[in-house]
Amino acid sequence: MFTALLDTSVLWPSLQRDFLLSLAIEQIYRPIWSCAILAELEYHEARKLRDRHGIEPEQSERRAARLVGTMRSAFVDAEITGWEPLEGTYGLPDPDDEHVVAAAHLGGAAVIVTSNLRDFPASRLPSGMSAMPPHQFALDATQISPHRALTAVAEIAARSGRSGPRSSTEAVIHRLEGRYGMTEAMTLVREAARRRSSGGR
């Protein structure tokens, strides 16, 4: 099982985060992050809840903190510590992104999953490490086990009923395609669903 660092930019969109973490629950890969990434996520999640959804600031902050707490509980070995001495040693275009590579390097990540590829030029990354956008990562992960990826999507659909109308697996697939460009990955998931419904493996 390979290791991937998830940048704040891919954790902030709710459904995308849910899918990427659900793939990890299915043990397709091991996710890692740093306290700095989680702090950024908590800040932006609270801001999103307040500005986009009109939720009161205090409640927004509580919900954002609960999200981060849930992530820490679900992935107890994901948070990389001790990365600070490496920060500033990579010469990235934006020094504020140094902590991302430092945590990825110390955590043994093969890939940094990010929506900001220009901030992580290949020439500045440690040997054997690459950066890729979430739709490409989703495809690579799904190719490892389309059936486990299908289970991840089905679990998202099942959880949707806890706080509102339940979504179908197809509806979740459609949103992952339309919102996040995961067309190729979702093609494999649909094929896995057809095989499962016909009794195939």
Side-chain angles (χ1 to χ4, degrees), residues 171-182:
V172 174
I173 290 172
H174 184 73
R175 288 199 297 273
L176 287 167
E177 287 177 321
R179 293 182 190 176
Y180 308 112
M182 296 184 179

Side-chain angles (χ1 to χ4, degrees), residues 80-140:
I80 302 302
T81 59
W83 49 266
E84 291 86 353
L86 294 176
E87 191 175 16
T89 65
Y90 302 100
L92 296 181
D94 185 350
D96 289 341
D97 291 320
E98 289 275 329
H99 70 92
V100 175
V101 180
H105 193 177
L106 193 60
V111 60
I112 295 172
V113 189
T114 179
S115 296
N116 303 315
L117 290 178
R118 67 185 178 205
D119 293 336
F120 301 96
S123 61
R124 298 295 183 179
L125 298 182
S127 177
M129 185 185 297
S130 62
M132 68 174 59
H135 71 272
Q136 180 61 51
F137 178 76
L139 174 60
D140 290 355

